[in-house]
Amino acid sequence: MQPFDTVIRNARVVTAADTFTSDIGIRDGRIAALALDLPPGLEEIDAAGRHVTPGGIDSHVHLDQPTGDGSVMADDFFSGTLSAACGGTTTVIPFACQQKGETLRAAVDDYHRRAGDKPVIDYAFHLIVTDPTPEVLREELPALIAEGYTSFKIYMTYDALKLGDREILETLSVARREGAMVMLHAENSDCIAWLTERLLAAGLSAPRYHASSRPMLVEREATHRAIALAELVDVPILIVHVSGREAVEQIRWAQSHGLKVYAETCPQYLFLTADSLGCDDSFEGAKCICSPPPRDAANQQVIWDGLENGSFEIFSSDHAPFRYGGPDGKRAHGEDASFDKIANGIPGVETRMALLWSEGVRTGRITPQSFVALTSTNAAKMYGLYPRKGSIAIGADADLVIWDEGRSVSISNEMLHHNVDYTPYAGMQLSAWPAMTLSRGDVVWDGEPRGEAGRGRFLPCERPAPAQARRRKTELPL
């Protein structure tokens, strides 16, 4: 028998369903054997009884994405994927964003050029549909779905990105017919604009007023409306970056009524609050501007409860990297820009996995199996990458994380590998961090970054099973 390229010994293997002790035999970048006392490999790694989980899939990241407002994302496909690997993530799915007036195909071609030979780990693309012309809906979108771009995002806010309700319905209809997964950014654009105008008119322009311009009800209303539109079309949807109780209540209602409504949340809604945007008018709060904004401690508990009770399928970073200093990040519109002009988003691709393992698994809030589901397996299934990605199983890619637990880790920006000059989680004390990350059997992190630019592969995605419509009996010509 051909020898294993690598054998990981004495692993406490965790999947979304089980935990068991095993050796892991790796051959040609894939898992070839799971058993005790495997024959020697060309390389040997002793896990020493530590937990070994599937490599993370961060299914909501923004890398080198055009913004159109003068700001520039700090991470490209090299720094972003390197940072991900150092944090235990082995697959990322960023967004090829259509510009209004341009084609979806142009966005995809441009994004492949931007990725080039930079990625350290494997990657797929979501689409962002901003201009659903008849040609896009009739020809481009179905063709791209058939080519492996089987998920796309719709915005209900931001003038450069948002779709109206009729456009959403038309786009959802294509997703239903073609078997694609639709992600929705659910915030009411008109409510935000109305509140923003009145806040600015009253001289309330500091970063902390970003939260005031986006209260929970604007997320609640848009989540309710997104669910209603999806119910009309009879198509599954995924509500992204859910922040608190009011949106969760809408999602739980839909799920309890048998609708295929999935949900995602992010670290900022577990570890940051509205106070992170500042308690005074200093610009420092710009570091934590993201949308929806962080809420309060009571809503943090709601999100933890949702992770525990199954309300959420996905735990992503929503990594949107803008530098705090310099002229092209958070300050692109000036040193004292009003909250509505500050680049929207925070970094988090490298800290996502350790935050949830340390503060979720090690505190007993969630099980190790739930961690694997939330950070890897469910995303693989939701976006058409399973079973190649998202599990520790024979034939799957050897994407693995060996965890170092029980030592104190104080998060600092200096220890991270992104190209951002801050982390919103600085000073947090964790009790776990990835000791080693393997991507298709290659060690890409072992306390030092080992991955090389260009080793990451693009992953065409299958039509995901969770995106299949219920096919209810209806008189409507859907």
Side-chain angles (χ1 to χ4, degrees):
M1 183 177 69
Q2 181 183 356
F4 298 113
D5 299 321
T6 304
V7 175
I8 300 176
R9 302 212 177 266
N10 307 310
R12 193 176 180 189
V13 174
V14 186
T15 70
D18 299 298
T19 300
F20 56 92
T21 299
S22 181
D23 297 342
I24 305 171
I26 299 169
R27 186 181 295 121
D28 297 328
R30 297 200 170 191
I31 296 171
L34 292 167
L36 297 174
D37 301 320
L38 287 176
L42 300 177
E43 300 287 340
E44 297 267 329
I45 297 170
D46 187 4
R50 292 176 290 183
H51 286 103
V52 178
T53 63
I57 298 174
D58 199 341
S59 56
H60 191 153
V61 300
H62 301 272
L63 301 176
D64 198 10
Q65 183 180 314
T67 64
D69 70 348
S71 61
V72 177
M73 288 191 171
D75 281 322
D76 63 8
F77 276 82
F78 174 68
S79 62
T81 58
L82 179 70
S83 180
C86 296
T89 289
T90 52
T91 303
V92 293
I93 314 181
F95 297 86
C97 182
Q98 179 193 23
Q99 304 298 305
K100 287 189 183 293
E102 296 187 3
T103 65
L104 269 175
R105 179 71 65 182
V108 169
D109 291 345
D110 176 66
Y111 219 42
H112 276 295
R113 285 192 294 271
R114 289 170 182 266
D117 59 359
K118 296 177 181 178
V120 172
I121 56 174
D122 294 349
Y123 62 104
F125 290 167
H126 302 298
L127 307 174
I128 294 176
V129 180
T130 67
D131 196 2
T133 64
E135 182 180 0
V136 165
L137 296 177
R138 185 177 59 250
E139 299 176 13
E140 275 200 315
L141 188 51
L144 287 166
I145 292 169
E147 292 171 24
Y149 306 89
T150 59
S151 53
F152 56 86
K153 187 176 181 181
I154 293 172
Y155 283 85
M156 301 173 78
T157 189
Y158 304 125
D159 289 343
L161 300 171
K162 67 182 180 181
L163 303 187
D165 286 358
R166 177 60 184 269
E167 292 175 310
I168 292 173
L169 287 169
E170 298 287 3
T171 309
L172 290 176
S173 180
V174 175
R176 184 183 192 275
R177 185 178 69 245
E178 301 294 334
M181 178 57 70
V182 181
M183 313 156 72
L184 284 110
H185 178 134
E187 290 183 292
N188 184 302
S189 184
D190 288 333
C191 290
I192 295 167
W194 186 83
L195 287 166
T196 298
E197 287 177 9
R198 278 150 181 78
L199 287 164
L200 295 178
L204 305 176
S205 62
R208 63 181 171 133
Y209 295 107
H210 173 74
S212 302
S213 73
R214 289 174 137 87
M216 283 202 294
L217 73 88
V218 307
E219 186 183 7
R220 180 231 302 163
E221 187 283 329
T223 300
H224 176 88
R225 182 159 39 99
I227 291 167
L229 297 173
E231 183 180 12
L232 179 62
V233 179
D234 187 29
V235 64
I237 57 169
L238 190 151
I239 308 295
V240 296
H241 45 52
V242 174
S243 72
R245 174 179 55 82
E246 296 190 20
V248 169
E249 289 173 348
Q250 299 297 313
I251 292 162
R252 293 285 286 174
W253 179 91
Q255 293 169 341
S256 72
H257 284 73
L259 301 179
K260 294 179 77 170
V261 174
Y262 308 109
E264 166 205 276
T265 195
C266 311
Q268 49 266 42
Y269 307 119
L270 297 178
F271 303 108
L272 304 179
T273 67
D275 288 345
S276 302
L277 277 72
C279 297
D280 56 26
D281 288 350
S282 73
F283 197 74
E284 187 80 8
K287 292 179 177 179
C288 294
I289 282 184
C290 59
S291 297
R295 305 301 182 184
D296 59 17
N299 280 285
Q300 286 181 338
Q301 186 58 51
V302 169
I303 300 302
W304 276 116
D305 291 344
L307 291 174
E308 183 178 356
N309 66 29
S311 298
F312 295 109
E313 283 76 25
I314 305 290
F315 184 74
S316 76
S317 70
D318 192 10
H319 180 74
F322 296 98
R323 295 180 68 84
Y324 179 66
D328 58 2
K330 294 286 186 178
R331 302 174 189 269
H333 291 274
E335 293 292 317
D336 295 306
S338 59
F339 66 84
D340 61 315
K341 301 295 185 183
I342 295 171
N344 201 318
I346 61 175
V349 72
E350 189 167 348
T351 48
R352 173 188 70 119
M353 298 274 282
L355 283 167
L356 191 62
W357 187 270
S358 178
E359 302 308 301
V361 175
R362 289 187 56 78
T363 61
R365 283 165 158 153
I366 62 172
T367 66
Q369 293 80 17
S370 292
F371 170 89
V372 169
L374 288 162
T375 60
S376 186
T377 307
N378 290 351
K381 293 178 177 179
M382 203 70 65
Y383 300 117
L385 293 174
Y386 190 84
R388 177 178 178 180
K389 303 290 186 181
S391 190
I392 299 177
I394 305 298
D397 284 353
D399 294 349
L400 303 163
V401 182
I402 303 174
W403 286 91
D404 186 3
E405 301 177 71
R407 69 182 181 94
S408 180
V409 178
S410 180
I411 297 179
S412 68
N413 197 57
E414 290 71 26
M415 67 183 285
L416 303 178
H417 300 83
H418 58 201
N419 194 35
V420 190
D421 55 0
Y422 77 97
T423 170
Y425 308 108
M428 282 196 61
Q429 299 293 320
L430 304 186
S431 61
W433 199 264
M436 182 176 291
T437 307
L438 289 85
S439 168
R440 284 183 282 104
D442 296 336
V443 174
V444 291
W445 164 257
D446 62 359
E448 296 291 335
R450 303 295 181 191
E452 296 182 356
R455 67 163 305 281
R457 296 174 181 171
F458 176 72
L459 304 169
C461 299
E462 303 291 333
R463 288 175 171 84
Q468 301 308 305
R470 294 178 300 161
R471 303 298 175 186
R472 66 183 181 185
K473 292 183 179 180
T474 177
E475 296 180 358
L476 297 174
L478 300 175

